[in-house]
Amino acid sequence: MMRTKIQRWIAVSVLLFTVHMSSTFAQQVALKTNLLYDATATPNVGMEIGVGKKHSFQVFYGLHPWKFGHGDDRKYLKHWIVNPEWRHWFCHRFNGSFVGIHAFGGQYDAANIKMPLGWWKELRDHRFEGWYAGGGVSYGYQWVLSKHWNFEGSVGVGAAYIDYDKFKCGTCGKKVDDGHKIYVGPTKAALSLMYMF
């Protein structure tokens, strides 16, 4: 219940802030969606605001509430994420190369998932829920498509602290453990379509 209230508050805050900033900073604000998130059935929305000639600030919010399958074979990675980033542009903001410093945080509930590169093998036959927070550095490039449309690609690396409760099986079972993990590696991948105000 508390998690749902927090998610709604964040989504409404981002939307209201976007509307306010778009009227205050015309031609300096972009609404965006990460197409890679969309491809994994994670609806998301982002906003980027120009701050001076060579800097911008963006924030993304994504939510994946879905489950797939039935019973103990059900696979899911329900989660929400907030991802702010400060960017320095090498030429002009919203055009060309940039480097950034990003942070992220959220909550998750996952079961019966096979993670890439053999990471966190216990997720295949246990359920984990908890929260995570981290940050890193990123590099990206934006292409101007037209007066109002841009396309962006970016990647990032960093680290995350992942707190968890571990349960015996996918959808049922008693709590069998709790603890945390430290993750170091890729922390961001985005192919974003943007609408410029």
Side-chain angles (χ1 to χ4, degrees):
M1 185 70 156
M2 183 64 164
R3 182 179 0 185
T4 303
K5 287 181 181 180
I6 292 171
Q7 292 169 359
R8 287 181 185 157
W9 181 85
I10 290 171
V12 168
S13 297
V14 168
L15 179 62
L16 292 175
F17 187 68
T18 299
V19 170
H20 171 72
M21 295 309 286
S22 65
S23 61
T24 306
F25 295 97
Q27 300 299 322
Q28 297 183 45
V29 175
L31 287 181
K32 51 177 43 175
T33 186
N34 182 347
L35 301 175
L36 296 179
Y37 268 22
D38 292 331
T40 63
T42 304
N44 66 94
V45 63
M47 175 186 60
E48 186 170 0
I49 302 168
V51 183
K53 291 182 179 179
K54 293 196 173 191
H55 295 96
S56 65
F57 176 78
Q58 82 162 11
V59 63
F60 259 98
Y61 174 77
L63 172 65
H64 188 283
W66 328 112
K67 293 183 179 183
F68 303 99
H70 299 286
D72 287 343
D73 293 330
R74 183 176 284 187
K75 298 177 188 294
Y76 59 92
L77 180 54
K78 293 172 55 178
H79 68 279
W80 65 267
I81 184 170
V82 174
N83 181 204
E85 181 175 39
W86 180 263
R87 294 176 166 184
H88 172 77
W89 297 81
F90 291 109
C91 190
H92 298 285
R93 68 174 186 270
F94 302 118
N95 187 11
S97 297
F98 64 85
V99 292
I101 299 173
H102 63 273
F104 54 88
Q107 293 177 300
Y108 68 93
D109 184 4
N112 297 324
I113 299 291
K114 184 176 180 182
M115 296 296 281
L117 305 173
W119 190 72
W120 208 346
K121 292 179 182 178
E122 294 175 292
L123 265 175
R124 294 178 187 177
D125 52 11
H126 290 86
R127 183 172 73 85
F128 288 81
E129 65 179 30
W131 60 272
Y132 57 93
V137 295
S138 56
Y139 170 80
Y141 195 93
Q142 268 187 36
W143 293 268
V144 176
L145 303 178
S146 70
K147 181 180 178 182
H148 291 289
W149 293 97
N150 278 15
F151 185 77
E152 172 189 306
S154 63
V155 294
V157 295
Y161 176 91
I162 304 168
D163 189 77
Y164 66 83
D165 290 333
K166 177 180 175 182
F167 297 86
K168 197 168 187 178
C169 63
T171 58
C172 61
K174 294 181 180 179
K175 180 176 166 182
V176 294
D177 195 11
D178 58 34
H180 70 274
K181 289 183 174 289
I182 302 295
Y183 167 81
V184 177
T187 51
K188 178 181 176 181
L191 293 174
S192 299
L193 186 62
M194 309 168 54
Y195 183 80
M196 310 293 296
F197 289 90

